[in-house]
Amino acid sequence: MPDSPAVAAKSPSSTSLRIDGTRLLDRLDRLAEIGGEDGGVTRMGFSDADVEGRAHVARQAVEAGLTASVDAGGNLLIRRPGDHRHSTRPPVLIGSHLDTVANGGRLDGAYGVIAALEVLQTLHEAGVESDHETIAVGFANEEGALFPQPFWGSMVLAGRLDALPSEPEDYAGRPLRDALARAGGDLSQLKTATWSPGSLTAYLELHVEQGPVLERLGRTIGVVESITGRIHMSVQLHGRAGHAGTTPMDGRQDPLVVAAGLIQAVQTMATRENLCRVATVGRVEVLPNSPNTIPDSVRLDIDLRDSDPTRLDVAEHTVRQTLADLARAGNVRATIESTVRSAPVHTDPKVRDTIAASAAELGFAQETLPSGAGHDAQVVADIAPVGMIFVPSIDGVSHVPVERTAPDDLVAGAEVLLRTVLKL
Ligand code: HGY
Ligand code: MN
Ligand code: MN
């Protein structure tokens, strides 16, 4: 954050500037139709629906008189026209991600990008001038739902190319190279999409809380203090397939029995043993997945979270140790890989204070809280000061079709985003 007092944005009267709430809500409704099914949304990163969703938002930006481009990592970048040569400070980046989990909600990620578009259009229409550019971003493949490289787009932007596989594939082994090209990216040009440390004044992400705290406390705005750490582990188990009716129980090499033991152990780690805050197995693939065949192989994915990196390391080591013991006992071959490791981060104190001041000025009740969900902001924190603004999630649920937030809260969050951008 710059030491000099922030140069207040020059504009007709930036304290009276407001977003267009109806336009924001309409755009959220229209975007939710893309990949919409059974009330939920499925736009898994780099799927056709995801590419369609990002093209739709790009069109909305151009219709608003802004420019839209896709970087080599597949990130959608929206800017106000002009060369910004009078900028004396690095840009402020605002946004989130447009991809979703399978059969997820209409707000996770999408809300932050549509609100960023709304803020940029409001600044543009009011002719607000500032000593820095404001850029909106729709990060690619934050969830890792199809191509298991979550935070893909923000890792590229933050220059963490060493932490990404050179030839990423989806769960079925299909190459990312082609899907990325269809989205407008280029796997061989990722370096052109990286931003260096200090190249941004700040990154701001507006997001639904995805938890119960703000609703329970009756607060409209959440000022995020920290974002959880996370380790994602992929386990592959190989046994010996056989006939369910003729293969004796003793001597079986059943990978699904080993998987069941591991799933129970992961649950115990985060409950009775309290080794980490939460631990989940949300994805299991059984082959050949036939009811009267002893499975040949099982793949399962483990998600560990905690705000303390040391506790995460202990939990990761315990999973590895437990798997080795279970595989030996079950006479099953096992491999395990930590595919994602994102460190817990604290948001920038000055950005937090600016968010809090904006919410106070606008008269919204606020609460400072940690994020149990992971976000692109924790990756961008490698190169810039970051801040996150939350709004309440009804019943505290997310990653499900019934993910909802009250319209007034959605508008309030976007107002705080605008006010914070004007202050930064
Ligand atoms: O999984 C998460 O925490 C985020 O929604 N990607
Ligand atoms: Mn999510
Ligand atoms: Mn998200």
Side-chain angles (χ1 to χ4, degrees):
M1 284 296 286
D3 293 332
S4 60
V7 174
K10 289 191 286 301
S11 75
S13 75
S14 52
T15 51
S16 63
L17 203 54
R18 287 286 187 278
I19 62 133
D20 180 333
T22 308
R23 186 166 61 189
L24 172 82
L25 298 173
D26 286 349
R27 281 186 172 146
L28 282 171
D29 288 345
R30 287 172 58 194
L31 178 56
E33 290 162 14
I34 300 175
E37 60 186 23
D38 315 327
V41 179
T42 300
R43 289 198 305 269
M44 295 191 280
F46 295 120
S47 64
D48 292 344
D50 176 40
V51 173
E52 186 190 342
R54 288 167 335 115
H56 166 79
V57 174
R59 278 194 303 275
Q60 302 257 306
V62 171
E63 284 164 17
L66 304 168
T67 67
S69 62
V70 176
D71 71 14
N75 297 312
L76 173 64
L77 294 169
I78 300 171
R79 299 173 119 114
R80 291 173 63 181
D83 58 12
H84 307 283
R85 85 174 91 85
H86 50 270
S87 293
T88 54
R89 289 196 295 144
V92 167
L93 187 67
I94 58 177
S96 189
H97 58 94
L98 282 169
D99 64 297
T100 72
V101 295
N103 200 28
R106 63 207 304 270
L107 297 173
D108 177 0
Y111 168 51
V113 179
I114 295 297
L117 168 59
E118 176 55 36
V119 164
L120 217 52
Q121 183 170 355
T122 302
L123 295 174
H124 182 56
E125 286 170 345
V128 171
E129 287 179 15
S130 166
D131 61 357
H132 63 276
E133 188 185 1
T134 301
I135 301 171
V137 62
F139 280 116
N141 197 28
E142 188 270 354
E143 300 286 5
L146 188 62
F147 288 90
Q149 300 88 29
F151 298 141
W152 166 268
S154 47
M155 298 272 275
V156 169
L157 186 132
R160 295 267 302 278
L161 306 186
D162 55 311
L164 296 172
S166 53
E167 281 297 338
E169 297 176 342
D170 69 7
Y171 281 105
R174 284 180 294 256
L176 173 64
R177 183 177 292 278
D178 311 340
L180 177 58
R182 274 198 301 279
D186 182 344
L187 194 61
S188 59
Q189 297 295 324
L190 294 184
K191 270 204 184 333
T192 63
T194 62
W195 292 54
S196 53
S199 59
L200 289 171
T201 292
Y203 169 66
L204 263 182
E205 182 164 358
L206 172 60
H207 206 287
V208 290
E209 179 201 337
Q210 301 178 295
V213 174
L214 293 179
E215 182 182 58
R216 197 173 57 218
L217 297 175
R219 306 283 197 271
T220 304
I221 296 294
V223 182
V224 177
E225 193 171 33
S226 61
I227 305 171
T228 186
R230 172 182 176 193
I231 294 181
H232 213 120
M233 306 175 88
S234 171
V235 177
Q236 198 73 40
L237 301 166
H238 290 279
R240 188 155 53 106
H243 192 296
T246 57
T247 309
M249 288 312 288
D250 63 342
R252 284 190 177 193
Q253 294 171 253
D254 185 339
L256 195 47
V257 170
V258 171
L262 187 61
I263 292 167
Q264 185 55 60
V266 164
Q267 159 85 359
T268 306
M269 275 169 48
T271 49
R272 198 153 27 98
E273 294 167 4
N274 186 24
L275 293 184
C276 55
R277 178 172 59 82
V278 287
T280 313
V281 175
R283 189 176 192 281
V284 179
E285 245 176 22
V286 182
L287 292 178
N289 211 23
S290 147
N292 52 355
T293 305
I294 303 166
D296 169 62
S297 66
V298 174
R299 167 176 175 157
L300 60 100
D301 289 81
I302 300 171
D303 182 308
L304 307 174
R305 312 252 175 137
D306 201 280
S307 56
D308 177 343
T310 310
R311 279 168 51 88
L312 268 181
D313 289 345
V314 170
E316 180 191 23
H317 176 74
T318 305
V319 169
R320 288 173 182 278
Q321 196 54 54
T322 307
L323 173 62
D325 297 345
L326 289 167
R328 193 177 316 108
N331 196 11
V332 160
R333 268 182 308 112
T335 59
I336 184 167
E337 188 194 352
S338 294
T339 51
V340 174
R341 181 188 292 273
S342 35
V345 299
H346 277 85
T347 53
D348 179 85
K350 285 187 185 167
V351 179
R352 269 203 309 271
D353 292 347
T354 310
I355 296 169
S358 301
E361 272 174 26
L362 289 160
F364 296 129
Q366 59 181 281
E367 185 72 23
T368 299
L369 75 169
S371 172
H375 297 285
D376 289 307
Q378 73 191 103
V379 177
V380 181
D382 281 1
I383 61 163
V386 301
M388 283 200 79
I389 306 162
F390 275 172
V391 291
S393 292
I394 294 173
D395 298 335
V397 297
S398 178
H399 281 189
V400 290
V402 293
E403 177 186 89
R404 287 284 181 275
T405 292
D408 288 352
D409 291 343
L410 292 172
V411 174
E415 293 289 14
V416 172
L417 180 65
L418 171 64
R419 184 64 60 93
T420 306
V421 165
L422 289 168
K423 283 176 176 292
L424 278 177

